[in-house]
């Protein structure tokens, strides 16, 4: 399984990195929608794209406005954006307000479920993280391999989410602070 780190920086893009956006091109799964979303079209290998948002801060969602570029590079039959219901409503009402962004990209919003089936026999679960405004981490499991995505939180060996990520094959974790 291939994981592309399209964007890995926090807060704002710079000349070296874009804001959070991870892509599993063979499964059509994206984790967060930062400024690097526009790159996804040349890598996607599916006709559907499922985007899982950790939270609704701009550095994690602004790429939703770039989905027209993705569809132009790689036509998609369906784009589903998953996230906390209240945050999806805020994104729809504010980021895609007519005065800010007059044409909404071809996507639908879907509130997170306890468990979501993924292509290839996989499943995605989520768990809360400590972050201003609230955030989720994700665990993705397929037969034979797994990964966890934990961002915008401070690592601690006794954090409640540690049990949720135990045993994963790959851990993508925030490491913004030098300690």
């Amino acid at each position: 399984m291939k994981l592309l780190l399209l964007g890995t920086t926090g807060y704002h893009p710079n000349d070296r990195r874009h804001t959070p956006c991870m892509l599993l091109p063979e499964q059509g799964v994206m984790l967060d929608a930062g400024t690097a979303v526009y790159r996804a079209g040349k890598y996607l290998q599916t006709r559907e794209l499922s985007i899982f948002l950790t939270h609704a801060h701009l550095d994690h969602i602004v790429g939703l406005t770039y989905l027209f570029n993705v569809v132009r590079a790689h036509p998609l039959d369906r784009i589903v954006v998953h996230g906390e219901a209240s945050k999806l409503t805020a994104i729809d009402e504010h980021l895609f307000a007519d005065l800010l962004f007059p044409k909404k990209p071809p996507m639908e919003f879907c509130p997170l479920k306890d468990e979501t089936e993924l292509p290839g026999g996989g499943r995605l679960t989520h768990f809360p993280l400590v972050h201003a405004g609230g955030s989720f981490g994700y665990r993705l499991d397929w037969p034979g391999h797994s990964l966890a995505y934990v961002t915008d939180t401070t690592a601690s060996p006794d954090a409640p989410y540690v049990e949720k990520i135990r045993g994963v094959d790959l851990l993508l974790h925030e490491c913004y602070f030098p300690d």
Side-chain angles (χ1 to χ4, degrees):
M1 175 177 302
K2 182 184 279 190
L3 172 68
L4 297 175
L5 307 177
L6 299 177
T8 60
T9 195
Y11 178 54
H12 63 85
N14 60 51
D15 292 337
R16 294 179 49 215
R17 297 186 302 183
H18 281 272
T19 63
C21 184
M22 315 302 157
L23 180 66
L24 297 159
E26 295 135 358
Q27 286 72 35
V29 171
M30 182 179 284
L31 302 170
D32 277 330
T35 54
V37 164
Y38 75 93
R39 297 175 172 178
K42 65 182 171 184
Y43 299 108
L44 274 168
Q45 298 175 24
T46 60
R47 300 289 302 168
E48 293 190 9
L49 176 61
S50 293
I51 302 171
F52 293 89
L53 302 175
T54 56
H55 60 294
H57 290 165
L58 285 175
D59 56 327
H60 292 256
I61 66 164
V62 70
L64 295 174
T65 65
Y66 308 155
L67 285 172
F68 288 115
N69 295 36
V70 174
V71 173
R72 192 173 301 115
H74 181 88
L76 292 165
D77 296 330
R78 186 174 185 214
I79 301 171
V80 182
V81 179
H82 303 264
E84 188 176 357
S86 61
K87 300 208 170 99
L88 295 176
T89 299
I91 291 166
D92 195 35
E93 290 177 0
H94 300 288
L95 184 64
F96 293 106
D98 286 341
L99 293 175
L100 293 178
F101 207 87
K103 182 163 173 53
K104 188 175 171 182
M107 63 183 171
E108 58 191 87
F109 290 129
C110 181
L112 281 172
K113 303 172 196 164
D114 290 338
E115 186 175 298
T116 302
E117 289 184 27
L118 299 173
R123 70 183 180 98
L124 177 141
T125 55
H126 61 88
F127 44 89
L129 300 173
V130 176
H131 186 55
S135 183
F136 286 115
Y138 292 111
R139 180 177 177 134
L140 297 81
D141 290 283
W142 284 271
H145 52 278
S146 59
L147 74 91
Y149 178 56
V150 180
T151 186
D152 284 27
T153 194
T154 303
S156 172
D158 61 348
Y161 69 83
V162 170
E163 285 305 312
K164 303 288 187 186
I165 64 174
R166 189 170 307 285
V168 294
D169 298 310
L170 177 65
L171 172 62
L172 299 173
H173 198 292
E174 177 83 19
C175 59
Y176 196 73
F177 300 111
D179 61 351

